[in-house]
Amino acid sequence: MPKGVPKFSKKEAEELEARVLLDFDLYAPEKLKIQTVEGKLESFQLNAPQKILGRIIRHIKSQGRLTRLVILKARREGVSTFTEGRFFWHTTLKSNRYAVCITHEPEATDFLFKMTKRYYDNLPSKERPKTKYNNKSLLEFDGLDSAFRVATAEKADFGSGQLVHYAHLSEVAKWPATKQKSILDSLLQCIPDEEDTEIIFESTAKGVGGEFYARYWACRYRYEVVLKEGKPNLQLAIDKDADVDNEYSSVFFPWFIFPKYYEKPPKGFTLTKEEKELVVLHGVNEGQLYWRRRTIQNKCSGNVNTFHQEYPGTPMEAFLSSGRPVFDVKKLVLWMKIAKPSKTRYECQLSTGNWIVAEEGPLRVWQEPKPARAYIIGADVAEGILVGGSDGKDKYDFSCADVVDHLTGDQVAQWHGKIDPRTFGRILFYLAIRYNYAWIGPERNNHGISTVGELSELGYKKLYLEMIPEPPNKPRQRFGWLTSKKTKPLIIDNLLDSLSDENGHGLICKETMAEMLTFKHKDDGKMMAEEGMHDDRVMSLAIARYLVLKLPTPRMMFKGGEPTFSHQGSSSSQKPPTAAWT
């Protein structure tokens, strides 16, 4: 026996073998063989992303959740190799287990199935189960009644009538657009909601839109890998705006956590301004940036957007490689990195108007109301009702209200949630009172009429008022803000101008920044969110920032020892109520 190899008793060896068979991280390097990029056959030693993926699955199972993953990744990080190996492990060691792998094209299907057969062919002979079927699309193991099947995303009703326990859905973003939903709707019904089942979506990005894009952002649980002191660090966040019934976890693997994406830079190598920003943003080193520079030039035709799609540094960067964003993507990604969470969250008691601290409250507050300070609220009202929630109740689109400082336009608070338009009016009423009787500019489009009506019935006086000219020269008063083809460019252009100062942009909400990233110019000239995304936060802030310009500058006065606000040059007949102070 070679020196340095530990000696085991028969019992110890049996215990070790049992551990290997029960733990994929131990099983893979001990039992599986892979073909390296150099064309060599070697033991499957898990790389950094693969080890992290194993950690994520163990964490999910420890929380009592089902393994349901949507993985966004850079190229060649080994996610498919890991998934194929894991599902092979399941089906060759358990009875009555069925795995399926679906890819975007026949060549990819053939490539991945050859990988699976390589696992099989190189198992120790005593551990290799006999096959009942072994052909181009099926490995069925005799005696176990387990099987591994592969297919290409072509048949719209794939899986009908089958039982599936493990589903590997590869490069979903590249599946035929017209068949993505029908294939998934058919296949996912075949997978029982049991502990020993796993669904793994994995793909590089292909622009905005489609099933992979929508499902990635719909996940309630979000795992992201970042660099911390040069080493990969796993972070988990819960998207409080996602449906509470969504069982899926999104996983993002950026390019810079893969050790192979490094090349020693030559002497005299200096960083560009953009590369220096990436050091601050991600903590990457010069060797990684030199590899990035060469990859952009030699593998991406010099196009940095192609690099972002194939080797993303952030989830948004991956999807935003196409289209024409309205806002500066680079600035937004940097601002999101340093954005701070709200200090407190509140829930409103509608019966009393009191705001109660709540961990998941819809009101996020970065700055509490200050005495002798004036505020403006811009509100985007949900367009309608989404009928048929999983709990059998009607569910609404998101409504949003942004509170900004009247003098600076800085964000100080934001209410965001799903609620009917009239109740939203009451929320705005109590929010405005809380912020020193702020001016309110609720959008009056569509269901916004109900919100404006509720505020009027409550007797709130500081509602934004427009004079609508009607012939013959008889202007008519209309409360609230009307977003139209004419006014939308005005408020969006004003928002763009207000963000031009990098140090004084006054933007603080990370979720607002995320919506700005997917707010784009359309071919028909419109500006709006990409399909499947939201822009309610963008619109509420845009309205609020525009009213900072439209409404007269506030001036403080004192009457009877209490501060009140007056507005110099105001043509409105409304008189602001006395501000209440506690």
Side-chain angles (χ1 to χ4, degrees):
M1 180 176 291
K3 293 182 179 180
V5 177
K7 295 182 179 180
F8 295 103
S9 66
K10 182 178 180 181
K11 183 179 180 181
E12 288 174 331
E14 289 174 348
E15 290 177 349
L16 179 61
E17 180 68 8
R19 283 180 55 203
V20 167
L21 296 179
L22 291 173
D23 187 336
F24 181 70
D25 284 15
L26 298 176
Y27 175 87
E30 186 72 21
K31 305 293 185 180
L32 301 183
K33 301 291 185 182
I34 61 170
Q35 190 177 68
T36 67
V37 292
E38 296 82 12
K40 297 178 180 179
L41 190 67
E42 294 183 356
S43 297
F44 185 0
Q45 303 292 334
L46 300 185
N47 64 26
Q50 291 165 342
K51 289 179 181 178
I52 292 170
L53 186 50
R55 283 178 55 197
I56 291 171
I57 293 175
R58 288 193 295 274
H59 180 263
I60 289 172
K61 290 183 180 296
S62 72
Q63 299 295 304
R65 294 189 278 118
L66 297 177
T67 304
R68 303 289 186 263
L69 300 177
V70 184
I71 303 171
L72 175 63
K73 60 186 179 64
R75 278 190 172 274
R76 304 191 67 82
E77 290 184 314
V79 173
S80 291
T81 305
F82 174 93
T83 306
E84 292 293 290
R86 184 175 179 86
F87 289 1
F88 177 81
W89 170 61
H90 281 308
T91 53
T92 54
L93 292 176
K94 300 174 184 176
S95 299
N96 305 305
R97 299 285 98 179
Y98 307 104
V100 64
C101 171
I102 304 178
T103 77
H104 62 299
E105 61 183 8
E107 293 80 5
T109 303
D110 183 60
F111 178 83
L112 289 184
F113 202 37
K114 283 182 178 177
M115 179 190 299
T116 301
K117 288 192 173 185
R118 186 178 298 115
Y119 294 148
Y120 177 79
D121 292 339
N122 288 280
L123 274 178
S125 57
K126 292 181 180 180
E127 299 173 19
R128 193 184 311 138
K130 293 182 179 180
T131 57
K132 187 175 183 180
Y133 296 102
N134 185 344
N135 54 45
K136 291 184 178 180
S137 62
L138 176 66
L139 264 177
E140 186 170 336
F141 305 114
D142 197 15
L144 289 173
D145 195 20
S146 293
F148 198 117
R149 184 187 303 273
V150 296
T152 304
E154 296 174 336
K155 189 178 178 182
D157 61 347
F158 182 89
S160 295
Q162 298 181 30
L163 175 62
V164 177
H165 299 94
Y166 316 108
H168 177 197
L169 310 173
S170 180
E171 293 295 348
V172 180
K174 298 175 183 177
W175 288 12
T178 57
K179 295 182 179 179
Q180 290 179 9
K181 189 176 188 306
S182 59
I183 292 173
L184 293 173
D185 285 347
S186 177
L187 174 65
L188 296 180
Q189 313 314 311
C190 304
I191 305 170
D193 292 331
E194 295 181 356
E195 181 181 354
D196 187 28
T197 59
E198 297 179 3
I199 302 173
I200 299 181
F201 289 75
E202 53 86 5
S203 188
T204 49
K206 191 179 180 183
V208 173
E211 284 294 312
F212 181 77
Y213 177 80
R215 289 171 183 269
Y216 181 87
W217 293 114
C219 294
R220 181 167 173 79
Y221 305 93
R222 301 194 180 282
Y223 292 90
E224 255 185 74
V225 187
V226 298
L227 286 181
K228 190 172 183 180
E229 297 179 354
K231 297 181 179 180
N233 184 264
L234 184 61
Q235 298 180 343
L236 169 65
I238 296 178
D239 184 353
K240 302 296 178 62
D241 293 331
D243 194 311
V244 294
D245 297 324
N246 192 305
E247 188 79 21
Y248 281 78
S249 300
S250 66
V251 179
F252 174 64
F253 288 130
W255 67 269
F256 45 77
I257 68 163
F258 194 30
K260 289 191 175 182
Y261 292 158
Y262 173 93
E263 190 169 348
K264 186 177 180 180
K267 290 183 179 180
F269 176 73
T270 57
L271 300 181
T272 64
K273 181 182 178 182
E274 179 191 25
E275 289 168 342
K276 289 177 181 178
E277 290 175 350
L278 292 176
V279 173
V280 175
L281 190 61
H282 301 306
V284 291
N285 58 43
E286 288 190 354
Q288 291 169 311
L289 290 171
Y290 182 60
W291 174 88
R292 175 183 182 270
R293 189 187 294 184
R294 284 178 53 80
T295 301
I296 291 172
Q297 184 61 41
N298 297 305
K299 294 185 178 181
C300 302
S301 302
N303 189 328
V304 70
N305 285 334
T306 301
F307 180 86
H308 288 163
Q309 178 174 286
E310 304 297 335
Y311 306 93
T314 68
M316 282 296 186
E317 190 175 85
F319 291 115
L320 292 174
S321 57
S322 61
R324 292 189 299 131
V326 171
F327 300 96
D328 190 318
V329 171
K330 191 189 302 183
K331 287 182 180 179
L332 287 168
V333 170
L334 186 59
W335 294 343
M336 287 176 70
K337 184 75 172 180
I338 60 177
K340 296 180 180 179
S342 56
K343 294 180 178 179
T344 318
R345 296 183 70 150
Y346 293 91
E347 182 80 50
C348 182
Q349 288 186 333
L350 293 174
S351 59
T352 63
N354 293 329
W355 293 90
I356 309 300
V357 174
E359 184 178 352
E360 297 188 22
L363 178 65
R364 292 179 170 93
V365 172
W366 289 268
Q367 186 182 108
E368 299 287 354
K370 295 182 178 180
R373 200 75 182 179
Y375 300 93
I376 291 174
I377 299 174
D380 179 80
V381 184
E383 291 187 1
I385 300 175
L386 300 175
V387 181
S390 59
D391 54 4
K393 299 178 181 178
D394 290 346
K395 295 192 175 183
Y396 295 85
D397 298 333
F398 285 109
S399 289
C400 188
D402 263 292
V403 185
V404 302
D405 187 293
H406 194 154
L407 290 176
T408 65
D410 291 353
Q411 279 184 307
V412 298
Q414 184 185 87
W415 190 98
H416 188 264
K418 296 180 179 181
I419 198 169
D420 69 273
R422 292 201 73 86
T423 306
F424 187 42
R426 186 170 289 271
I427 292 288
L428 292 175
F429 175 76
Y430 291 130
L431 183 59
I433 292 174
R434 188 175 194 273
Y435 275 88
N436 301 342
Y437 289 89
W439 280 100
I440 308 177
E443 192 176 35
R444 68 172 186 265
N445 300 55
N446 304 316
H447 298 277
I449 294 293
S450 299
T451 303
V452 174
E454 180 70 12
L455 285 163
S456 297
E457 289 179 19
L458 290 169
Y460 196 75
K461 297 180 180 179
K462 292 180 68 175
L463 273 175
Y464 176 69
L465 175 67
E466 290 182 330
M467 303 300 291
I468 308 298
E470 286 189 354
N473 300 320
K474 291 183 179 180
R476 178 165 54 95
Q477 293 183 341
R478 292 294 299 270
F479 290 104
W481 171 265
L482 180 67
T483 302
S484 65
K485 291 181 180 179
K486 182 179 178 180
T487 63
K488 189 173 184 177
L490 291 176
I491 61 175
I492 297 300
D493 287 347
N494 177 69
L495 181 56
L496 275 166
D497 289 341
S498 70
L499 298 175
S500 59
D501 185 348
E502 294 187 19
N503 297 315
H505 52 77
L507 189 60
I508 196 167
C509 175
K510 187 175 182 178
E511 290 75 16
T512 299
M513 300 177 205
E515 285 194 4
M516 287 178 171
L517 286 172
T518 57
F519 195 78
K520 292 191 174 183
H521 294 282
K522 299 295 183 180
D523 292 339
D524 60 4
K526 294 180 180 178
M527 293 180 289
M528 59 193 300
E530 283 284 1
E531 182 182 355
M533 302 304 288
H534 299 279
D535 60 10
D536 39 88
R537 288 183 168 99
V538 176
M539 295 306 297
S540 61
L541 180 62
I543 293 169
R545 287 274 176 99
Y546 192 72
L547 296 189
V548 169
L549 297 181
K550 291 282 286 184
L551 292 170
T553 305
R555 179 170 60 90
M556 284 300 304
M557 299 186 303
F558 288 84
K559 291 183 180 180
E562 291 190 356
T564 62
F565 289 108
S566 71
H567 291 75
Q568 295 178 333
S570 175
S571 59
S572 171
S573 61
Q574 301 178 83
K575 293 182 180 179
T578 301
W581 302 87
T582 57

